[in-house]
Amino acid sequence: MSVALGTTRPLPVRTAPVGDPGDLLASLPRTAPYAWVRNGEGLVGWGEAAKVSVPPGPGRFAWARQWLADVFGDAHIDDAVRTPGSGPVAFGSFTFDENARGSVLVVPQTVLARRDGHAWLTTIGDAPLGTFSPIREPGRISYGDGSLTAPEWEHVVARAARRIRAGELEKVVLARDLVATAQRPIDVRLLLARLARRYPECYTFSVAGLVGATPELLIRRTGQEIESLVLAGTTARGTGPADDVARGAALFASHKDRHEHECAIASVRQALAPLCSSLRTPDVPELLVLPNVQHLASHVSGRLADGASVLDVVAAMHPTAAVGGTPTDTAIKVIRELEGMDRAGYAGPVGWIDAHGDGEWGIALRSGLVQGRRVRLFAGGGIMGDSDPAAELAEAQAKFRVMQYALEG
């Protein structure tokens, strides 16, 4: 196994059942925590048995799969659990833009996991226990403009809507950033704990400084079975129960939002159909209600036709129309021209993969990139021909509140 500890000899990997660990996130040490948790279940990890920066370019997922095959293929694995997520696991984050640097894969030295009433611990070599220390509050948080001011971003939205009305494309997803600065270095564990508590139905994640809670499952592979949750079309929560119901009904009846959702489903169907022997997509979306927003949501499931790993499916699906636009190539071109910033890992794939090709990957939404006392927060929305710039700005502001809550409590 190629390792980050200065040796190239294969290291032993051991997975064994353990008792219920309780709160997985509470087990994390301070340094470089990795996490993928939903409703108290999932995986957390620490230490680095192997790590690589994935070269940018259209072949990056194939490169990543080959690197993983080399790393996992050299491991001496003793796995007494034999379930998806046991044995050696890599956590990964890929940039939204295939040409941007910053994609990374990490195989932690220690992984603690819990799912379906079972828990297990995976260690690689002489895995460290980690330095456990009390979680420290970041202190006062101040905010500043990111790449564009709010009025500048509204102007970008208006320009995009004009290009859509002119027939250049159907939809484009535009993002913006906000910079938060804390008094003290930010403890990722605090953000994870707050996100998991406030948004238990979302996938709370941490990979190489990218931290967030995404509602959108890009793909789950369990053997040959795959699942995806497509979200497109959003409205804010109401001021009370009646307003909440009215907003949800208006979202469901919105031609703009339903068309945006149909574009997203068509994008997923087109990407998955060549890989699947069967594929099931709903005719009508449902309403997914989260603490800060409501989404139109569709559950997609299928069965892979051959031995594709979860990373192969990620490669086929990214970017979906839900985070890029329709048609994809034109939307990416418009994003590069208008957005005025580097998305880094925002709206890119984030998740984990094991040695059997099973895994779960989400789209890195409702997230921030943590660097010391500074965090870049990201949010965005789907722009259609009739989009109102002020309304789109308000939607982005509502999505920022997820990470603002994580910072401020």
Side-chain angles (χ1 to χ4, degrees):
M1 176 180 282
S2 173
V3 299
L5 304 178
T7 175
T8 57
R9 67 181 179 83
L11 291 183
V13 180
R14 183 173 184 270
T15 298
V18 295
D20 189 340
D23 184 357
L24 289 173
L25 295 172
S27 302
L28 285 169
R30 182 180 182 88
T31 306
Y34 301 95
W36 179 265
V37 174
R38 178 177 182 265
N39 283 327
E41 298 194 336
L43 300 85
V44 297
W46 58 93
E48 293 177 2
K51 181 178 181 179
V52 70
S53 296
V54 180
R60 60 183 179 154
F61 291 107
W63 190 98
R65 181 176 181 180
Q66 185 57 56
W67 183 83
L68 286 169
D70 293 341
V71 170
F72 291 155
D74 284 344
H76 297 321
I77 302 173
D78 176 12
D79 183 359
V81 177
R82 298 184 179 277
T83 193
S86 66
V89 169
F91 286 78
S93 166
F94 287 83
T95 57
F96 171 80
D97 192 322
E98 66 181 20
N99 295 325
R101 296 186 180 277
S103 300
V104 64
L105 287 169
V106 181
V107 181
Q109 282 186 278
T110 305
V111 172
L112 179 64
R114 177 174 58 195
R115 190 180 65 231
D116 299 332
H118 302 281
W120 61 92
L121 180 71
T122 297
T123 54
I124 298 180
D126 297 322
L129 293 177
T131 304
F132 293 88
S133 59
I135 294 177
R136 190 180 185 189
E137 295 275 350
R140 185 176 58 84
I141 307 294
S142 59
Y143 296 95
D145 287 325
S147 305
L148 299 175
T149 65
E152 287 171 338
W153 194 73
E154 285 184 300
H155 179 63
V156 166
V157 170
R159 290 174 62 192
R162 284 197 297 269
R163 292 174 71 163
I164 293 169
R165 290 195 297 271
E168 184 177 346
L169 70 168
E170 284 189 72
K171 168 193 172 183
V172 63
V173 180
L174 292 178
R176 65 182 300 249
D177 60 346
L178 189 68
V179 177
T181 304
Q183 283 181 296
R184 292 183 288 273
I186 295 162
D187 192 330
V188 168
R189 298 172 302 169
L190 177 65
L191 307 186
L192 293 172
R194 286 174 172 170
L195 290 171
R197 183 169 59 247
R198 182 72 173 264
Y199 304 97
E201 292 294 325
C202 292
Y203 297 86
T204 298
F205 61 87
S206 171
V207 180
L210 186 67
V211 181
T214 180
E216 190 146 358
L217 178 67
L218 180 63
I219 197 71
R220 174 188 296 119
R221 177 192 187 266
T222 307
Q224 297 302 101
E225 301 298 322
I226 59 171
E227 301 172 65
S228 181
L229 177 63
V230 180
L231 305 181
T234 306
T235 189
R237 292 294 303 270
T239 56
D243 186 34
D244 222 21
V245 171
R247 285 175 180 265
L251 176 65
F252 208 81
S254 165
H255 173 75
K256 177 258 186 190
D257 290 290
R258 289 293 290 269
H259 182 59
E260 180 183 344
H261 193 82
E262 288 164 8
C263 287
I265 286 290
S267 167
V268 169
R269 189 184 298 113
Q270 183 178 15
L272 290 180
L275 297 174
C276 293
S277 58
S278 63
L279 186 64
R280 297 171 292 280
T281 58
D283 295 327
V284 179
E286 59 188 61
L287 201 61
L288 176 64
V289 180
L290 299 173
N292 61 320
V293 293
Q294 303 181 64
H295 295 291
L296 295 179
S298 289
H299 292 267
V300 177
S301 60
R303 184 172 179 81
L304 294 172
D306 56 23
S309 81
V310 70
L311 213 53
D312 295 319
V313 184
V314 169
M317 294 183 70
H318 179 75
T320 67
V323 293
T326 307
T328 300
D329 290 346
T330 306
I332 298 301
K333 175 175 172 285
V334 171
I335 289 169
R336 288 170 176 162
E337 288 178 9
L338 298 184
E339 202 168 71
M341 74 171 192
D342 175 11
R343 290 189 179 188
Y346 171 74
V350 62
W352 61 269
I353 178 174
D354 67 16
H356 300 288
D358 288 328
E360 292 181 321
W361 289 76
I363 298 175
L365 306 175
R366 319 295 194 272
S367 59
L369 191 59
V370 180
Q371 294 176 311
R373 295 189 303 115
R374 186 175 180 270
V375 189
R376 275 184 78 200
L377 310 182
F378 302 94
I383 310 304
M384 308 293 286
D386 57 352
S387 288
D388 172 52
E392 297 296 340
L393 179 65
E395 180 180 319
Q397 292 297 112
K399 293 172 179 175
F400 275 137
R401 284 200 283 273
V402 173
M403 288 302 294
Q404 288 175 318
Y405 165 78
L407 286 165
E408 299 170 15

